[in-house]
Amino acid sequence: MITFLGGVSSCAEKAPWNVLIERKDSRRRRQSAGPISVLCGGSLVTQSHVLTAAHCVWANRGRARTCREPWLSMTPEDCARSRCPRECLRTSPDQLRVHLGVSDRTEAGAEAVSVAVKRIILHPGWDKVQPLNNITQGHDLAL
């Protein structure tokens, strides 16, 4: 079984559909080796749609604990107001930025384009309530 951790730089010209998704606020930022702090990756599937994993924008489980009520049923906006715990990931479009044409996140290339996110659509089968979001059911998709 091949496992990738951190990945390697790829040429944007060879895979122009690859995008990097960044969370703008610093609350959940991962350590980054460059100017783009990557939350998740995605694929450009149309001129204006990126496919990514639903767990990148809505998740109920952290490294050590699980999201519980009253935060479990909160929207991203409710979570922002009440400061949900880290294990309750609720992301709204205004918190994200999509980067296209990036070959190496440690260098801000001139050909890279950053785009704001207008809307997040979770797969209707994504379980927003269960601790593991029923990730094995094949519904771990978001646009």
mmCIF file of all heavy atoms in Angstrom, residues 50-77:
data_model
loop_
_atom_site.group_PDB
_atom_site.id
_atom_site.type_symbol
_atom_site.label_atom_id
_atom_site.label_comp_id
_atom_site.label_asym_id
_atom_site.label_seq_id
_atom_site.Cartn_x
_atom_site.Cartn_y
_atom_site.Cartn_z
ATOM 1 N N VAL A 50 -15.307 22.998 -7.803
ATOM 2 C CA VAL A 50 -14.198 22.194 -7.292
ATOM 3 C C VAL A 50 -14.776 21.059 -6.466
ATOM 4 O O VAL A 50 -15.627 21.272 -5.601
ATOM 5 C CB VAL A 50 -13.243 23.052 -6.420
ATOM 6 C CG1 VAL A 50 -12.237 22.187 -5.702
ATOM 7 C CG2 VAL A 50 -12.554 24.103 -7.279
ATOM 8 N N LEU A 51 -14.326 19.840 -6.731
ATOM 9 C CA LEU A 51 -14.729 18.671 -5.954
ATOM 10 C C LEU A 51 -13.667 18.419 -4.893
ATOM 11 O O LEU A 51 -12.472 18.392 -5.192
ATOM 12 C CB LEU A 51 -14.855 17.443 -6.858
ATOM 13 C CG LEU A 51 -15.265 16.139 -6.177
ATOM 14 C CD1 LEU A 51 -16.694 16.240 -5.654
ATOM 15 C CD2 LEU A 51 -15.130 14.977 -7.151
ATOM 16 N N THR A 52 -14.104 18.270 -3.653
ATOM 17 C CA THR A 52 -13.202 17.979 -2.551
ATOM 18 C C THR A 52 -13.893 17.002 -1.609
ATOM 19 O O THR A 52 -15.005 16.545 -1.859
ATOM 20 C CB THR A 52 -12.773 19.272 -1.813
ATOM 21 O OG1 THR A 52 -11.707 18.965 -0.901
ATOM 22 C CG2 THR A 52 -13.920 19.916 -1.073
ATOM 23 N N ALA A 53 -13.256 16.687 -0.509
ATOM 24 C CA ALA A 53 -13.830 15.782 0.491
ATOM 25 C C ALA A 53 -14.710 16.576 1.452
ATOM 26 O O ALA A 53 -14.332 17.661 1.900
ATOM 27 C CB ALA A 53 -12.722 15.079 1.256
ATOM 28 N N ALA A 54 -15.878 16.039 1.768
ATOM 29 C CA ALA A 54 -16.796 16.710 2.699
ATOM 30 C C ALA A 54 -16.144 16.890 4.071
ATOM 31 O O ALA A 54 -16.367 17.904 4.732
ATOM 32 C CB ALA A 54 -18.093 15.917 2.827
ATOM 33 N N HIS A 55 -15.297 15.938 4.477
ATOM 34 C CA HIS A 55 -14.682 16.066 5.806
ATOM 35 C C HIS A 55 -13.719 17.249 5.889
ATOM 36 O O HIS A 55 -13.300 17.641 6.970
ATOM 37 C CB HIS A 55 -13.996 14.760 6.230
ATOM 38 C CG HIS A 55 -12.724 14.466 5.514
ATOM 39 N ND1 HIS A 55 -12.672 13.604 4.439
ATOM 40 C CD2 HIS A 55 -11.467 14.913 5.700
ATOM 41 C CE1 HIS A 55 -11.425 13.527 4.009
ATOM 42 N NE2 HIS A 55 -10.679 14.327 4.757
ATOM 43 N N CYS A 56 -13.378 17.834 4.758
ATOM 44 C CA CYS A 56 -12.526 19.031 4.767
ATOM 45 C C CYS A 56 -13.303 20.278 5.193
ATOM 46 O O CYS A 56 -12.706 21.250 5.640
ATOM 47 C CB CYS A 56 -11.936 19.273 3.378
ATOM 48 S SG CYS A 56 -10.736 18.028 2.893
ATOM 49 N N VAL A 57 -14.610 20.257 5.040
ATOM 50 C CA VAL A 57 -15.411 21.431 5.362
ATOM 51 C C VAL A 57 -16.448 21.190 6.458
ATOM 52 O O VAL A 57 -16.999 22.136 7.013
ATOM 53 C CB VAL A 57 -16.108 21.999 4.096
ATOM 54 C CG1 VAL A 57 -15.081 22.538 3.129
ATOM 55 C CG2 VAL A 57 -16.976 20.967 3.419
ATOM 56 N N TRP A 58 -16.726 19.906 6.789
ATOM 57 C CA TRP A 58 -17.687 19.593 7.855
ATOM 58 C C TRP A 58 -17.275 18.263 8.492
ATOM 59 O O TRP A 58 -17.349 17.218 7.860
ATOM 60 C CB TRP A 58 -19.093 19.453 7.301
ATOM 61 C CG TRP A 58 -20.151 19.331 8.365
ATOM 62 C CD1 TRP A 58 -20.340 18.282 9.222
ATOM 63 C CD2 TRP A 58 -21.138 20.291 8.686
ATOM 64 N NE1 TRP A 58 -21.390 18.525 10.049
ATOM 65 C CE2 TRP A 58 -21.906 19.771 9.738
ATOM 66 C CE3 TRP A 58 -21.463 21.546 8.181
ATOM 67 C CZ2 TRP A 58 -22.966 20.451 10.304
ATOM 68 C CZ3 TRP A 58 -22.526 22.220 8.753
ATOM 69 C CH2 TRP A 58 -23.270 21.681 9.796
ATOM 70 N N ALA A 59 -16.838 18.321 9.734
ATOM 71 C CA ALA A 59 -16.421 17.099 10.428
ATOM 72 C C ALA A 59 -16.771 17.203 11.907
ATOM 73 O O ALA A 59 -16.850 18.296 12.455
ATOM 74 C CB ALA A 59 -14.931 16.854 10.238
ATOM 75 N N ASN A 60 -16.950 16.054 12.539
ATOM 76 C CA ASN A 60 -17.353 16.000 13.941
ATOM 77 C C ASN A 60 -16.323 15.347 14.840
ATOM 78 O O ASN A 60 -16.622 15.010 15.969
ATOM 79 C CB ASN A 60 -18.672 15.227 14.076
ATOM 80 C CG ASN A 60 -19.810 15.933 13.424
ATOM 81 O OD1 ASN A 60 -19.818 17.155 13.363
ATOM 82 N ND2 ASN A 60 -20.764 15.184 12.914
ATOM 83 N N ARG A 61 -15.136 15.128 14.371
ATOM 84 C CA ARG A 61 -14.173 14.416 15.187
ATOM 85 C C ARG A 61 -12.798 15.048 15.088
ATOM 86 O O ARG A 61 -12.299 15.306 14.013
ATOM 87 C CB ARG A 61 -14.096 12.965 14.751
ATOM 88 C CG ARG A 61 -13.275 12.144 15.686
ATOM 89 C CD ARG A 61 -13.348 10.684 15.309
ATOM 90 N NE ARG A 61 -12.598 9.931 16.278
ATOM 91 C CZ ARG A 61 -13.094 8.975 16.998
ATOM 92 N NH1 ARG A 61 -14.334 8.617 16.840
ATOM 93 N NH2 ARG A 61 -12.344 8.333 17.855
ATOM 94 N N GLY A 62 -12.202 15.264 16.247
ATOM 95 C CA GLY A 62 -10.837 15.756 16.313
ATOM 96 C C GLY A 62 -9.895 14.609 16.601
ATOM 97 O O GLY A 62 -10.276 13.443 16.548
ATOM 98 N N ARG A 63 -8.669 14.922 16.921
ATOM 99 C CA ARG A 63 -7.673 13.877 17.204
ATOM 100 C C ARG A 63 -8.003 13.090 18.467
ATOM 101 O O ARG A 63 -7.769 11.903 18.537
ATOM 102 C CB ARG A 63 -6.291 14.503 17.335
ATOM 103 C CG ARG A 63 -5.748 14.962 16.013
ATOM 104 C CD ARG A 63 -4.280 15.331 16.159
ATOM 105 N NE ARG A 63 -3.728 15.625 14.858
ATOM 106 C CZ ARG A 63 -3.424 16.828 14.433
ATOM 107 N NH1 ARG A 63 -3.599 17.868 15.220
ATOM 108 N NH2 ARG A 63 -2.927 17.007 13.238
ATOM 109 N N ALA A 64 -8.557 13.781 19.473
ATOM 110 C CA ALA A 64 -8.780 13.101 20.749
ATOM 111 C C ALA A 64 -10.236 13.065 21.187
ATOM 112 O O ALA A 64 -10.623 12.219 21.967
ATOM 113 C CB ALA A 64 -7.953 13.787 21.841
ATOM 114 N N ARG A 65 -11.054 13.989 20.680
ATOM 115 C CA ARG A 65 -12.439 14.070 21.153
ATOM 116 C C ARG A 65 -13.402 14.137 19.981
ATOM 117 O O ARG A 65 -13.024 14.309 18.843
ATOM 118 C CB ARG A 65 -12.601 15.306 22.027
ATOM 119 C CG ARG A 65 -11.719 15.246 23.235
ATOM 120 C CD ARG A 65 -11.915 16.380 24.199
ATOM 121 N NE ARG A 65 -12.587 17.540 23.676
ATOM 122 C CZ ARG A 65 -12.412 18.760 24.135
ATOM 123 N NH1 ARG A 65 -11.569 18.976 25.108
ATOM 124 N NH2 ARG A 65 -13.066 19.775 23.644
ATOM 125 N N THR A 66 -14.677 14.028 20.303
ATOM 126 C CA THR A 66 -15.742 14.077 19.312
ATOM 127 C C THR A 66 -16.618 15.293 19.567
ATOM 128 O O THR A 66 -16.845 15.668 20.714
ATOM 129 C CB THR A 66 -16.598 12.798 19.407
ATOM 130 O OG1 THR A 66 -15.755 11.679 19.196
ATOM 131 C CG2 THR A 66 -17.695 12.789 18.374
ATOM 132 N N CYS A 67 -17.131 15.887 18.513
ATOM 133 C CA CYS A 67 -18.048 17.027 18.622
ATOM 134 C C CYS A 67 -19.336 16.575 19.306
ATOM 135 O O CYS A 67 -19.878 15.529 18.992
ATOM 136 C CB CYS A 67 -18.340 17.562 17.226
ATOM 137 S SG CYS A 67 -19.355 19.047 17.219
ATOM 138 N N ARG A 68 -19.797 17.349 20.238
ATOM 139 C CA ARG A 68 -21.005 17.009 20.991
ATOM 140 C C ARG A 68 -21.986 18.177 20.952
ATOM 141 O O ARG A 68 -21.648 19.279 20.564
ATOM 142 C CB ARG A 68 -20.633 16.719 22.441
ATOM 143 C CG ARG A 68 -19.569 15.633 22.583
ATOM 144 C CD ARG A 68 -19.981 14.620 23.609
ATOM 145 N NE ARG A 68 -18.940 13.641 23.851
ATOM 146 C CZ ARG A 68 -18.813 12.508 23.196
ATOM 147 N NH1 ARG A 68 -19.642 12.213 22.246
ATOM 148 N NH2 ARG A 68 -17.864 11.654 23.473
ATOM 149 N N GLU A 69 -23.215 17.913 21.389
ATOM 150 C CA GLU A 69 -24.208 18.984 21.511
ATOM 151 C C GLU A 69 -23.723 19.961 22.588
ATOM 152 O O GLU A 69 -23.027 19.552 23.503
ATOM 153 C CB GLU A 69 -25.579 18.409 21.897
ATOM 154 C CG GLU A 69 -26.264 17.673 20.787
ATOM 155 C CD GLU A 69 -26.659 18.546 19.600
ATOM 156 O OE1 GLU A 69 -26.533 19.790 19.660
ATOM 157 O OE2 GLU A 69 -27.095 17.983 18.600
ATOM 158 N N PRO A 70 -24.017 21.211 22.470
ATOM 159 C CA PRO A 70 -24.932 21.853 21.537
ATOM 160 C C PRO A 70 -24.303 22.172 20.175
ATOM 161 O O PRO A 70 -24.987 22.605 19.266
ATOM 162 C CB PRO A 70 -25.297 23.157 22.254
ATOM 163 C CG PRO A 70 -24.050 23.503 22.986
ATOM 164 C CD PRO A 70 -23.484 22.170 23.440
ATOM 165 N N TRP A 71 -22.998 21.944 20.011
ATOM 166 C CA TRP A 71 -22.304 22.325 18.785
ATOM 167 C C TRP A 71 -22.598 21.386 17.621
ATOM 168 O O TRP A 71 -22.506 21.781 16.468
ATOM 169 C CB TRP A 71 -20.797 22.372 19.029
ATOM 170 C CG TRP A 71 -20.429 23.279 20.144
ATOM 171 C CD1 TRP A 71 -20.439 24.645 20.116
ATOM 172 C CD2 TRP A 71 -20.032 22.901 21.448
ATOM 173 N NE1 TRP A 71 -20.070 25.136 21.326
ATOM 174 C CE2 TRP A 71 -19.805 24.094 22.175
ATOM 175 C CE3 TRP A 71 -19.845 21.681 22.087
ATOM 176 C CZ2 TRP A 71 -19.394 24.088 23.498
ATOM 177 C CZ3 TRP A 71 -19.436 21.686 23.404
ATOM 178 C CH2 TRP A 71 -19.214 22.872 24.096
ATOM 179 N N LEU A 72 -22.958 20.149 17.896
ATOM 180 C CA LEU A 72 -23.139 19.135 16.863
ATOM 181 C C LEU A 72 -24.107 19.571 15.771
ATOM 182 O O LEU A 72 -23.863 19.349 14.592
ATOM 183 C CB LEU A 72 -23.615 17.831 17.506
ATOM 184 C CG LEU A 72 -23.629 16.590 16.643
ATOM 185 C CD1 LEU A 72 -22.233 16.276 16.130
ATOM 186 C CD2 LEU A 72 -24.173 15.413 17.423
ATOM 187 N N SER A 73 -25.193 20.222 16.138
ATOM 188 C CA SER A 73 -26.204 20.600 15.154
ATOM 189 C C SER A 73 -26.064 22.043 14.665
ATOM 190 O O SER A 73 -26.929 22.533 13.955
ATOM 191 C CB SER A 73 -27.602 20.382 15.739
ATOM 192 O OG SER A 73 -27.725 21.091 16.947
ATOM 193 N N MET A 74 -24.981 22.704 15.009
ATOM 194 C CA MET A 74 -24.806 24.107 14.618
ATOM 195 C C MET A 74 -24.359 24.259 13.170
ATOM 196 O O MET A 74 -23.647 23.422 12.633
ATOM 197 C CB MET A 74 -23.782 24.787 15.522
ATOM 198 C CG MET A 74 -24.274 25.056 16.896
ATOM 199 S SD MET A 74 -23.058 26.029 17.811
ATOM 200 C CE MET A 74 -23.905 26.223 19.362
ATOM 201 N N THR A 75 -24.766 25.352 12.576
ATOM 202 C CA THR A 75 -24.320 25.728 11.233
ATOM 203 C C THR A 75 -22.937 26.378 11.345
ATOM 204 O O THR A 75 -22.506 26.734 12.452
ATOM 205 C CB THR A 75 -25.290 26.748 10.611
ATOM 206 O OG1 THR A 75 -25.213 27.966 11.370
ATOM 207 C CG2 THR A 75 -26.712 26.222 10.570
ATOM 208 N N PRO A 76 -22.262 26.576 10.226
ATOM 209 C CA PRO A 76 -20.972 27.285 10.283
ATOM 210 C C PRO A 76 -21.100 28.673 10.919
ATOM 211 O O PRO A 76 -20.238 29.085 11.694
ATOM 212 C CB PRO A 76 -20.557 27.384 8.819
ATOM 213 C CG PRO A 76 -21.208 26.218 8.168
ATOM 214 C CD PRO A 76 -22.529 26.071 8.873
ATOM 215 N N GLU A 77 -22.179 29.381 10.619
ATOM 216 C CA GLU A 77 -22.378 30.717 11.182
ATOM 217 C C GLU A 77 -22.581 30.654 12.701
ATOM 218 O O GLU A 77 -22.019 31.471 13.434
ATOM 219 C CB GLU A 77 -23.583 31.398 10.510
ATOM 220 C CG GLU A 77 -23.381 31.683 9.029
ATOM 221 C CD GLU A 77 -23.512 30.444 8.132
ATOM 222 O OE1 GLU A 77 -24.152 29.447 8.534
ATOM 223 O OE2 GLU A 77 -22.952 30.471 7.017
#
